[in-house]
Amino acid sequence: MSDPLFMVKTAFYIGNYRQCVKDAQKLQLGDQALDLENDILMYRAYMAEGKYNLVLGEVASRRGPEFQALVLLAKLLQNSSNKESIISEVGNVLNEGAAAMCPNIVALLCANVYLLAGDYESTLRVCNSASSLECHALAVQTLIQMNRVDIATKEMKKLQELDEDATVSQLALAALNVALADAKSVQTAYYVYQELADKFGPTPILLNGQAVCFLMQGKPEQAEDVLQKALDKDSGHAETLINLSIVSQFLGARDSAKRYISQVKDSHPDHPYVTRLQEKEKVFEEFTSALLTNR
């Protein structure tokens, strides 16, 4: 049986958020659960575009644990300094979500909250309690971030048994192959990104995936070409700017690398890469200061 939300989901997964919103707004499915899932996908696309106030404003009057979980995710994405208070609410939402119309959606959104907060154990616990493809894919992503590629490979097999051809399964497979990092795996990942781009059109997410593969293959020039195409599609895309800074360093273009990093810091100050970079810069400055003091 075909999925009536296939195109909406695919647009979201590959990062074509404007198309996701357009497709979602056109759909009137006449099924309460599907209409709810469609609305959640649309609001997640808005959040991916940074439109947190729009989402929070529109869902303020919506009832149900699905929207409570969505609000928590939006608030955390908007302001990570409130992490502790937001995390404290997740447990109650999950408890209510067990009897919700779409419990898998509640689990997915809450798992994303935990992942953003860096609580990998809770992320995996919630993902394992659900049965959706996207929860399995999120578990793969989480395990990759934990550098547990061995367990991620086992989780990937479960995902493939459910539906190996689904877009979210293909993206998880590509991410896993990049993490495996051997030549054959990286080439497989590149083919996945290329096939999805050919089928649904190139997006910054797919182009960045290809660029990472090129870089791992020792082809920084090709990586730069692909990233420039991604930049043309979205001049403020964080991952594109970060990867361009890395490629620029490989090519010896230090001024360009600094420029791209400055852009990321200005436009995405709370991005995990920026946070880690600033922490390392602070340590380096303290170390340098201590050396000068002890001379």
Side-chain angles (χ1 to χ4, degrees):
M1 182 178 178
S2 61
D3 184 353
L5 294 175
F6 175 79
M7 292 308 297
V8 178
K9 289 178 180 178
T10 295
F12 177 77
Y13 295 147
I14 67 173
N16 192 348
Y17 303 120
R18 193 87 311 267
Q19 190 62 48
C20 175
V21 169
K22 288 180 181 179
D23 290 344
Q25 289 174 337
K26 292 176 185 176
L27 283 180
Q28 294 293 332
L29 298 167
D31 180 285
Q32 203 170 359
L34 286 173
D35 283 332
L36 175 58
E37 187 175 2
N38 184 51
D39 286 348
I40 295 292
L41 282 164
M42 179 183 70
Y43 287 126
R44 289 174 70 194
Y46 276 130
M47 290 194 297
E49 294 181 321
K51 298 176 181 177
Y52 309 119
N53 287 329
L54 182 153
V55 173
L56 292 170
E58 289 199 8
V59 305
S61 60
R62 304 288 293 265
R63 296 290 179 264
E66 294 89 353
F67 289 104
Q68 291 173 9
L70 188 74
V71 166
L72 292 181
L73 183 57
K75 286 182 176 179
L76 184 57
L77 285 166
Q78 186 178 46
N79 186 358
S80 60
S81 64
N82 296 325
K83 180 172 66 175
E84 284 74 19
S85 63
I86 292 170
I87 290 297
S88 68
E89 299 181 48
V90 176
N92 289 334
V93 174
L94 279 170
N95 289 335
E96 291 184 33
M101 183 186 302
C102 299
N104 282 330
I105 290 177
V106 179
L108 175 66
L109 296 172
C110 288
N112 270 286
V113 171
Y114 280 132
L115 182 59
L116 278 171
D119 187 345
Y120 298 139
E121 183 178 341
S122 295
T123 303
L124 292 173
R125 174 175 52 79
V126 175
C127 285
N128 290 334
S129 72
S131 59
S132 69
L133 284 176
E134 197 174 350
C135 278
H136 281 287
L138 187 62
V140 173
Q141 176 188 335
T142 303
L143 289 162
I144 291 171
Q145 289 185 219
M146 294 171 67
N147 294 317
R148 292 307 308 266
V149 180
D150 54 335
I151 307 178
T153 301
K154 295 177 182 178
E155 188 67 31
M156 187 68 227
K157 289 178 180 177
K158 297 178 186 178
L159 181 56
Q160 289 175 317
E161 287 171 3
L162 291 171
D163 189 348
E164 64 178 346
D165 295 324
T167 305
V168 70
S169 301
Q170 290 295 301
L171 287 167
L173 177 64
L176 177 59
N177 276 289
V178 167
L180 289 168
D182 61 273
K184 183 179 180 182
S185 296
V186 172
Q187 190 62 43
T188 297
Y190 175 82
Y191 287 144
V192 171
Y193 291 126
Q194 184 61 57
E195 183 179 349
L196 291 172
D198 289 342
K199 190 181 294 184
F200 303 113
T203 63
I205 285 178
L206 298 178
L207 291 168
N208 271 270
Q210 289 181 314
V212 169
C213 293
F214 277 135
L215 200 56
M216 295 177 74
Q217 292 170 331
K219 302 174 182 177
E221 292 84 1
Q222 288 94 321
E224 184 181 36
D225 289 343
V226 171
L227 289 170
Q228 287 297 338
K229 293 177 183 177
L231 198 64
D232 289 341
K233 291 183 174 295
D234 183 353
S235 61
H237 190 257
E239 279 66 34
T240 302
L241 294 168
I242 291 166
N243 285 327
L244 273 168
S245 73
I246 295 169
V247 168
S248 295
Q249 292 178 59
F250 270 92
L251 295 173
R254 294 183 180 180
D255 289 342
S256 295
K258 290 179 181 178
R259 191 179 308 116
Y260 290 128
I261 286 297
S262 294
Q263 286 180 255
V264 179
K265 287 180 176 179
D266 288 342
S267 57
H268 303 275
D270 294 325
H271 192 282
Y273 180 89
V274 174
T275 303
R276 290 194 300 270
L277 182 63
Q278 290 174 333
E279 288 172 353
K280 291 175 181 177
E281 288 174 342
K282 183 180 179 182
V283 170
F284 180 77
E285 288 172 2
E286 290 173 351
F287 180 72
T288 303
S289 177
L291 282 178
L292 293 173
T293 302
N294 293 329
R295 277 189 175 182

